[in-house]
Amino acid sequence: MSPAKPAVIPLTPDERRASLGLAGIYGLRMLGLFLILPVFVLHADGYTGATPLLIGLAIGAYGLTQAILQIPFGMLSDRIGRKPVIYGGLAVFVLGSVMAALATSIEGVILGRVIQGAGAVSAAVTALAADLTRDEVRTRAMAGVGASIGIAFGLAFIIAPVIARFWGLAGIFWVTALLAFAGILVLWLVVPNPKHRSVHRDAEPVASQLMVVLRDGQLLRLNFGIFSLHLMMTGMFLVIPPSLVKAGVINADHWEVYLPVLLLGLLAMVPFVIIAEGRGRIKQVFMGGIVTVGLAALGFSVWATELAPLMILLAVFFTGVNLLEALLPSMISKIARAGAKGTAMGVYSTSQFIGAFLGGMTGGLVNQYLGAPAVFVFAALCALAWLLVAATMGAPQRVTNQMVPVGPIGADAILDLERRLLAVPGVRDAVVVLEEGVAYLKVDSRELDSARLAAVVG
């Protein structure tokens, strides 16, 4: 008979404050980044020197500095503290937002966006969440931070057209500055100070793991996937808002289109996630998601100026995007070696931001010289390339990550303990980290012998 499932361990009041506060900081900052996506191209002609290429660069520019700085800033937070890095990053984000709000030229907006991206605090926020939560509840705390990104994305598409209607693009950037300042207040007033600071391999990048992650062909395929997805999204949203205008929807009413298609896309995604995770068909569903966004992009190239087909295609597109955004981190978590999840997620996020930067640049370039339909065709070709790369990867194992304390042990006992852990039924991978006093495991919960595992680490 399989062992009974352990009771869910509740979060302490401080852990709840930390989880909600850090999710709020992350969400406020991402909302500030997402706000310009559905409206910038509609109003950017008012800037001196604006061209489709430079407009694309303005949208994607933040991704360049995000990609360059987020892993180094995460490692810096190990040395000088989490909160100083987050305060500094949010202050830089405020500065970039103010510069973009005051800009009268497209080059000024690009510079402001580059500085916004330099406030790269994602890894530091994740590391602080790890410092403030126990090992056994950390996954739930991190889930709240991840959920805030999806909420921010959907909210941005609904409120951005309203803000732009009354205050223009300058108003959008002033709002992003206020959101980042609100994040500073949340960090100060809500998030507790950590009692100790340590490296958490499940939550943050570790320099010694970088080459291990970069040599993993399975992870590289997934990194190419998130790169491709954000390249496609950023490029396509240079031409989707003008397509809505051509279909007869005035700028201020775009939220009336985005709200139903976003909700439909979110609801339609749920059963596919259940099939993928619950029935072990993650690769098949994942491949289907890539086909979905590729076909939607191809459909836009034909029907982008007719409202009814446009709304159907948007709903299909957001279904695919939501599905892939949910499955990709899960697949990274399953495939990364035990103890390397934080580093794998750091490289994954870097790939995402590079995709956003190149999506803005290449989408703007294609739009400038070949027109809007060519941008959609380019996105469809990106999806095809991604599909071919994804087809060569193996299906991830049905495993979850687990940490168990092992107490103080000698360096000479590490290999023996790892060997005994791997002998436990259901344990697929094990790495013991002497400095942290924990073992990072990948386990198949359907087969795990919890009693034997407890005996080994007891």
Side-chain angles (χ1 to χ4, degrees):
M1 186 173 67
S2 61
K5 292 184 178 179
V8 175
I9 299 173
L11 275 70
T12 66
D14 276 352
E15 286 173 334
R16 283 195 294 271
R17 280 179 58 205
S19 301
L20 291 172
L22 291 171
I25 291 169
Y26 213 106
L28 288 168
R29 180 175 163 278
M30 295 309 294
L31 178 59
L33 285 172
F34 291 143
L35 276 173
I36 78 162
L37 196 58
V39 297
F40 186 79
V41 69
L42 299 174
H43 302 271
D45 287 344
Y47 291 112
T48 304
T51 66
L53 172 58
L54 293 179
I55 290 170
L57 276 173
I59 289 179
Y62 82 95
L64 179 62
T65 39
Q66 280 278 330
I68 293 170
L69 295 173
Q70 66 144 349
I71 289 179
F73 279 7
M75 294 178 178
L76 178 64
S77 75
D78 291 332
R79 302 174 70 88
I80 69 171
R82 317 300 190 193
K83 282 196 169 184
V85 170
I86 299 172
Y87 278 126
L90 291 172
V92 168
F93 190 89
V94 171
L95 175 62
S97 300
V98 171
M99 290 180 65
L102 296 174
T104 57
S105 68
I106 193 67
E107 292 85 0
V109 175
I110 292 171
L111 179 59
R113 290 283 283 171
V114 167
I115 293 174
Q116 277 187 326
V121 298
S122 304
V125 169
T126 304
L128 181 56
D131 283 342
L132 292 169
T133 53
R134 291 164 293 162
D135 297 343
E136 54 267 34
V137 300
R138 188 169 301 145
T139 299
R140 275 182 284 149
M142 296 296 183
V145 174
S148 70
I149 301 174
I151 294 170
F153 182 80
L155 192 59
F157 276 77
I158 296 166
I159 67 174
V162 179
I163 296 171
R165 176 183 182 181
F166 292 103
W167 298 294
L169 287 180
I172 292 283
F173 288 119
W174 284 118
V175 168
T176 66
L178 289 173
L179 290 171
F181 184 72
I184 292 173
L185 293 179
V186 170
L187 183 62
W188 177 38
L189 298 173
V190 177
V191 179
N193 292 315
K195 296 177 182 177
H196 57 83
R197 184 173 74 245
S198 60
V199 175
H200 306 273
R201 292 174 179 238
D202 63 322
E204 59 180 300
V206 178
S208 63
Q209 295 289 324
L210 276 172
M211 292 311 299
V212 174
V213 167
L214 292 173
R215 291 193 188 107
D216 190 315
Q218 295 282 80
L219 292 177
L220 288 176
R221 288 173 174 85
L222 295 176
N223 292 333
F224 180 78
I226 195 63
F227 163 86
S228 301
L229 182 61
H230 280 260
L231 185 148
M232 294 167 61
M233 284 178 58
T234 309
M236 288 171 65
F237 273 95
L238 293 172
V239 288
I240 285 176
S243 297
L244 286 172
V245 173
K246 291 177 182 178
V249 184
I250 63 172
N251 296 355
D253 292 341
H254 283 198
W255 70 272
E256 296 179 1
V257 172
Y258 291 130
L259 178 58
V261 299
L262 282 165
L263 290 175
L264 184 59
L266 183 63
L267 292 173
M269 170 268 292
V270 172
F272 293 106
V273 172
I274 294 172
I275 292 170
E277 298 283 2
R279 300 184 183 178
R281 299 187 176 275
I282 192 166
K283 183 178 178 183
Q284 295 92 322
V285 175
F286 176 64
M287 299 285 285
I290 300 171
V291 171
T292 298
V293 295
L295 290 177
L298 199 59
F300 281 126
S301 69
V302 179
W303 293 294
T305 58
E306 300 174 39
L307 185 56
L310 186 57
M311 291 189 68
I312 293 171
L313 288 168
L314 280 170
V316 171
F317 178 71
F318 281 123
T319 299
V321 168
N322 290 332
L323 178 62
L324 293 166
E325 291 277 15
L327 292 182
L328 277 163
S330 174
M331 295 172 76
I332 290 278
S333 179
K334 287 175 169 60
I335 290 172
R337 281 292 313 273
K341 177 186 170 186
T343 306
M345 288 303 300
V347 175
Y348 168 87
S349 296
T350 297
S351 304
Q352 169 185 324
F353 290 124
I354 294 172
F357 168 66
L358 291 179
M361 184 175 70
T362 55
L365 191 64
V366 171
N367 189 29
Q368 181 164 316
Y369 291 104
L370 298 176
V375 176
F376 294 124
V377 173
F378 172 72
L381 292 173
C382 290
L384 177 60
W386 181 10
L387 185 67
L388 295 174
V389 169
T392 64
M393 69 180 293
Q397 297 184 68
R398 296 178 69 179
V399 294
T400 57
N401 292 279
Q402 187 171 328
M403 283 186 298
V404 293
V406 297
I409 61 171
D412 55 344
I414 289 177
L415 291 178
D416 179 63
L417 179 55
E418 289 179 348
R419 177 186 58 78
R420 289 189 290 125
L421 287 168
L422 288 169
V424 175
V427 175
R428 298 289 181 258
D429 193 12
V431 173
V432 176
V433 181
L434 181 64
E435 298 83 1
E436 300 177 41
V438 299
Y440 292 93
L441 309 177
K442 301 188 84 68
V443 302
D444 185 335
S445 58
R446 299 168 300 169
E447 302 177 12
L448 180 64
D449 187 336
S450 299
R452 185 169 171 184
L453 176 61
V456 169
V457 299

